[in-house]
Amino acid sequence: MSPRDFQRARKEAKDSSETEYSTLIYNHPYFPNLLVDTSTSDSIITTAITLLFSNPSSSLNGDSSVKESNYVSTQDVDLSKFEVTEVEGGITNALFCISGFTSYNKPYSSILLRIFGAEGMIDRDIETSTFATLAQQELAPPYYGRFGNGRIEGYYEGAIPLSMNDLRDLDISKEIAVKLANMHYEFCIPPSLGEYHDEKEPSLWGQLGSWIDQAMNIQQYQTKEDDARAKEYYNLQRIQQELKWLKADGI
């Protein structure tokens, strides 16, 4: 499997007459046309139930074609048994914890539903493929599937999201650095992701460079408040120079 499988699935879904069109990618369902409306808890719960109670009948393996799947109707599930809690800490994503799955004999009581943000800045096909592979190698929470504007992951019970002040704590930052180093050391990049992750050149620099270029080309932000905040807090030329220094001498 590779990021291109998500692209092929979206094309097949676009050509399909099935509203709840889905397929298996990384052994979990993908519903390209299913979108979450964050203004209602029912939409969040219904999306989670559709993925987690689905029973896809086909996958993008070998000669298999992308077809719709048979899944448990949300009408057979009591939405009132579930609770939605917004999780703080997402920078570009909206995060929600959904609890109540033990009532339906699931091996977990809660899951994390992630709704993508900052579209155009992050390739979600590559990101999700990488996350699913990390999960397969037990280097990340479980991956349970993807929908049109997000995905579902395992939820760490009792975990507390870090605030911006927490991230400024040197002891916490050092611990994060150690964990990241261990993850990169242990991660085995499969051939399907080889072209997206160069072991000789960290993708971090290309990603940060792309973001800086996009920011420097913005003539006007969405609101006047954003314009004022950017002028007050962000010296993009200085940040660009700092990144060049970090890449050349700092790390």
Side-chain angles (χ1 to χ4, degrees):
M1 310 306 291
S2 77
R4 293 188 181 89
D5 291 312
F6 287 112
Q7 299 169 15
R8 292 207 307 269
R10 284 195 296 274
K11 182 179 183 303
E12 293 287 346
K14 184 177 180 181
D15 297 337
S16 172
S17 60
E18 297 293 331
T19 304
E20 298 293 353
Y21 184 97
S22 74
T23 188
L24 274 179
I25 300 179
Y26 292 101
N27 296 319
H28 290 286
Y30 176 38
F31 286 76
N33 298 330
L34 183 60
L35 301 175
V36 170
D37 178 1
T38 58
S39 66
T40 69
S41 293
D42 282 359
S43 176
I44 295 171
I45 295 171
T46 299
T47 297
I49 290 173
T50 300
L51 263 76
L52 297 172
F53 287 72
S54 66
N55 182 28
S57 57
S58 63
S59 65
L60 287 170
N61 289 320
D63 296 328
S64 299
S65 60
V66 184
K67 299 179 180 179
E68 69 276 8
S69 68
N70 298 317
Y71 60 93
V72 176
S73 172
T74 56
Q75 296 178 355
D76 298 329
V77 179
D78 185 357
L79 300 187
S80 66
K81 291 184 177 292
F82 298 90
E83 180 180 353
V84 177
T85 305
E86 187 168 2
V87 178
E88 298 180 353
I91 298 176
T92 61
N93 298 172
L95 307 173
F96 298 91
C97 172
I98 306 175
S99 304
F101 290 96
T102 49
S103 300
Y104 291 92
N105 297 318
K106 291 294 185 180
Y108 43 79
S109 60
S110 304
I111 56 92
L112 182 74
L113 185 143
R114 179 185 300 274
I115 299 175
F116 300 144
E119 291 310 303
M121 295 183 65
I122 300 172
D123 189 314
R124 299 300 182 182
D125 295 333
I126 297 175
E127 182 200 54
T128 299
S129 296
T130 303
F131 178 83
T133 305
L134 285 166
Q136 288 175 346
Q137 298 181 22
E138 299 184 349
L139 296 172
Y143 170 68
Y144 292 128
R146 182 178 173 185
F147 49 94
N149 57 341
R151 67 172 179 254
I152 294 179
E153 309 167 9
Y155 181 76
Y156 286 146
E157 299 286 351
I160 301 174
L162 296 176
S163 66
M164 296 303 290
N165 286 332
D166 291 331
L167 295 173
R168 296 186 183 99
D169 186 298
L170 289 179
D171 290 335
I172 293 177
S173 293
K174 289 177 181 178
E175 187 67 22
I176 292 172
V178 170
K179 295 293 186 182
L180 282 173
N182 288 336
M183 183 188 72
H184 282 79
Y185 178 78
E186 295 175 12
F187 183 40
C188 180
I189 301 174
S192 60
L193 291 176
E195 65 181 287
Y196 308 104
H197 299 292
D198 187 346
E199 295 187 72
K200 297 180 180 179
E201 175 71 23
S203 59
L204 168 73
W205 304 119
Q207 183 68 81
L208 290 176
S210 172
W211 288 343
I212 286 292
D213 290 343
Q214 290 182 57
M216 294 184 72
N217 288 325
I218 293 177
Q219 301 298 320
Q220 184 176 357
Y221 289 88
Q222 291 185 347
T223 67
K224 293 181 178 179
E225 290 77 12
D226 287 340
D227 274 330
R229 187 172 58 178
K231 291 177 181 178
E232 181 178 0
Y233 294 110
Y234 304 138
N235 184 332
L236 294 176
Q237 286 76 18
R238 179 179 175 181
I239 294 174
Q240 188 179 49
Q241 292 302 314
E242 288 180 351
L243 287 176
K244 289 180 179 179
W245 172 79
L246 281 171
K247 183 178 180 180
D249 303 311
I251 298 179

